[in-house]
Amino acid sequence: MRTHTYFEIKHFDFFKDQLIYWAQQFEEVVWLDSNKHGSKFQQNDGILAVGAEKSLETTTNRAFERLEQFHEDCKDWIFGFLTYDLKNSTEALSSQNFDALHFPDLYFFQPKKLILIKDNKVIFKYLIKHHEEVYTDFNQIKSTDIPGIEVHDAPKIKLRIHKDAYFEKVEAMLAHIHRGDIYEANFCQEFYAEDLQINPVQTFLKLNSISRPPFSTYLRLKDKYLLSASPERFLRKDGQRLISQPIKGTARRSHDPEQDRKLKRELQQNEKERSENIMIVDLVRNDLSHTAKPGSVQVTELCQVYSFMQVHQMISTVEAEIREGTSFAQVIKHAFPMGSMTGAPKISAMKIIEELEETKRGLYSGSVGYVTPDRDFDFNVVIRSILYNATKKYASYSVGSAITAKSIPHNEYEECLLKAKAMKEVLEN
């Protein structure tokens, strides 16, 4: 059981920063920030979960069944992540590529302390045994100092796949498409820095400040960190309703208003980008149909262009009603990994991706989110993110693009650089 204690705050953004710094005393932290995008599907401006009362860490073996049982044991809020490699628990697939980050395949925890922010109101939802700490914690948060910026030497950022090799691999992907093996696949590459010591909180806050996306995430699991400026929702459950919002289609922003409007119009009318988006929408519809009431899967928004601080993005919304007797974990299992990060047909695309990519994706193109006591949930897509292993002093960010029959390798490479811009800028100070 949790108690509910309400406070009001005056300076929303400053309080958020204080909250994240205060949370660093815990080894398990999830901070989810909507950056006040005001979506009709967004209930809170920010959610912080800290301190593991109970936790689940597992490999791909029966991972979703174990997640369901863990929630049943807790009967409470749980927060955590699903890595891309959980595909190996649902299909006859494997992941043998290089991994320097070593996140567990799945990790969830029941937080001792849960704090929700909406407008100028803060709700402390603490487990009963920790209720007496609420007022002390609130006062400590308000008195937390924001330290000055720590400057580190600009790291040498390396490519796991160099430019010429990237072109060769895209050509190989195109050969699969022309043979009819697949229609589309999301091909990703890793950028990384070694022997790098960063301040994870400051790095996250800077990344968030230059992106302000609706699914921003700071995650800490002991010495491992996710610093994410994700604009994409994977899947949300609200009662019996499911909402998925895949992104496919990207264009740069311009400081010139007229040029920026032109870039947005061009993206909206771009036949290749629209076809990419529509193919993934069809894939998402199919994924949701496995656990939805017959006839309930609907595309409520198709190829709508939204503008973020770094890029314009083409987003669609697919909704469905859950079939009676379907568990929340079954819904996630049948939709995971998300179509926007795989391709179509999904299994064939994942096999080819594994052959051509050089890095095990791990948490990148996985998902972070939560499940409520009522088995509702909300999960993002881990993109536009820096992953950091503090013990190994290894930082990594990966980017990708959708390869279709109309893809031009040079243009796909440029799209990757555009998506990588914010992470590169942050790591290089």
Side-chain angles (χ1 to χ4, degrees), residues 29-44:
V29 180
V30 172
W31 164 248
L32 305 171
D33 190 347
S34 73
N35 284 296
K36 291 199 168 183
H37 272 265
S39 164
K40 63 181 178 179
F41 304 122
Q42 215 85 7
Q43 293 181 332
N44 297 286

Side-chain angles (χ1 to χ4, degrees), residues 148-398:
I149 298 297
E150 295 179 16
V151 178
H152 58 76
D153 293 335
K156 181 179 180 181
I157 295 177
K158 304 175 185 178
L159 291 77
R160 190 68 60 189
I161 302 173
H162 289 278
K163 192 173 183 178
D164 289 344
Y166 176 87
F167 291 156
E168 291 174 4
K169 288 173 179 288
V170 173
E171 291 290 356
M173 189 79 77
L174 286 168
H176 281 289
I177 292 171
H178 294 147
R179 283 199 300 269
D181 300 332
I182 51 173
Y183 305 111
E184 176 179 352
N186 191 280
F187 177 56
C188 301
Q189 58 176 317
E190 182 196 21
F191 297 78
Y192 65 98
E194 299 170 297
D195 196 26
L196 177 63
Q197 193 161 345
I198 63 173
N199 182 312
V201 177
Q202 288 187 354
T203 304
F204 166 74
L205 291 176
K206 184 175 181 182
L207 180 63
N208 188 56
S209 71
I210 64 176
S211 301
R212 297 287 180 187
F215 299 100
S216 181
T217 303
Y218 175 90
L219 179 145
R220 177 186 179 187
L221 176 57
K222 298 179 182 176
D223 65 340
K224 299 175 182 65
Y225 297 84
L226 167 70
L227 321 172
S228 178
S230 174
E232 184 172 0
R233 167 178 276 125
F234 161 44
L235 195 60
R236 176 178 175 85
K237 177 181 176 291
D238 185 4
Q240 292 303 107
R241 184 171 62 159
L242 293 175
I243 303 103
S244 183
Q245 296 181 292
I247 291 178
K248 270 288 164 278
T250 304
R252 67 180 178 88
R253 299 294 308 267
S254 172
H255 294 296
D256 176 64
E258 182 55 40
Q259 176 66 11
D260 195 57
R261 286 191 289 270
K262 181 174 181 286
L263 291 167
K264 185 175 181 178
R265 284 195 305 271
E266 288 175 349
L267 175 59
Q268 183 72 66
Q269 298 165 5
N270 188 299
E271 183 181 341
K272 173 185 175 292
E273 303 283 10
R274 290 181 69 88
S275 66
E276 286 179 11
N277 194 294
I278 290 167
M279 277 191 275
I280 296 307
V281 166
D282 285 342
L283 178 57
V284 171
R285 289 173 60 212
N286 181 67
D287 285 347
L288 296 187
S289 70
H290 291 294
T291 55
K293 290 180 180 178
S296 72
V297 181
Q298 303 290 328
V299 180
T300 55
E301 184 179 52
L302 184 64
C303 297
Q304 182 66 41
V305 175
Y306 289 81
S307 298
F308 300 97
M309 291 177 71
Q310 298 283 330
V311 292
H312 299 294
Q313 300 273 204
M314 189 179 286
I315 304 176
S316 294
T317 301
V318 184
E319 299 187 49
E321 292 292 318
I322 301 174
R323 189 182 306 139
E324 293 295 332
T326 305
S327 72
F328 81 86
Q330 285 178 300
V331 172
I332 298 170
K333 179 179 179 178
H334 282 288
F336 194 84
M338 58 290 300
S340 61
M341 297 306 295
T342 52
K346 197 170 187 178
I347 297 173
S348 296
M350 288 191 290
K351 288 179 179 178
I352 293 167
I353 285 167
E354 191 70 31
E355 291 172 5
L356 292 175
E357 292 181 356
E358 297 290 336
T359 309
K360 183 177 179 180
R361 288 192 183 181
L363 186 49
Y364 170 70
S365 71
S367 186
V368 175
Y370 61 87
V371 184
T372 72
D374 297 327
R375 298 180 178 85
D376 286 340
F377 58 74
D378 204 1
F379 287 90
N380 70 2
V381 179
V382 178
I383 53 175
R384 319 292 161 79
S385 303
I386 296 169
L387 293 160
Y388 182 54
N389 185 313
T391 300
K392 292 179 172 290
K393 298 182 180 179
Y394 184 93
S396 165
Y397 58 91
S398 294

